[in-house]
Amino acid sequence: MAGLLRPLCDAIAELLWLTRQNGRSREEIARSGTFNITFERDNPLQLLRISLPASAGLYPEISGSHHRCNIRFLTWKRPGDAADTSRGDVPFMLSCCA
């Protein structure tokens, strides 16, 4: 069965690579751990890519629609503990891939 799915997995990996390569990266700052972005209606996006150092101890939570989205950076804690939004400013790299 795995041999039958391998061509599909390879095709998806190639499409994701092409989509990521089409993105333009820019530095952003999430003030008090929150960042909002509104998208251009004439330029639909396929993928948002967020990069930050693993040493930040944070992970992004993304919610939104095809017109806008909200990114909150949450603190990394032990499993079972509730995550909190970062209180400080969070510098990160944002790539909007069409």
Side-chain angles (χ1 to χ4, degrees):
M1 183 65 147
L4 294 173
L5 294 178
R6 173 66 25 225
L8 179 62
C9 292
D10 291 344
I12 291 170
E14 188 71 21
L15 284 172
L16 284 172
W17 182 84
L18 288 169
T19 302
R20 288 180 184 123
Q21 295 307 309
N22 193 26
R24 287 181 237 118
S25 295
R26 63 182 193 242
E27 291 183 29
E28 296 288 355
I29 297 177
R31 303 282 179 211
S32 299
T34 303
F35 183 81
N36 295 299
I37 185 170
T38 301
F39 306 121
E40 299 174 21
R41 291 182 184 260
D42 298 335
N43 189 16
L45 298 177
Q46 300 297 318
L47 179 74
L48 284 179
R49 189 175 186 187
I50 297 168
S51 303
L52 67 155
S55 62
L58 303 169
Y59 65 96
E61 176 187 70
I62 304 168
S63 60
S65 68
H66 56 279
H67 296 297
R68 63 185 145 294
C69 82
N70 179 54
I71 303 168
R72 291 189 321 149
F73 288 93
L74 305 172
T75 56
W76 187 259
K77 294 187 176 184
R78 295 178 305 174
D81 290 350
D84 295 322
T85 302
S86 173
R87 297 189 197 292
D89 292 348
V90 180
F92 68 100
M93 295 296 293
L94 175 67
S95 299
C96 296
C97 307

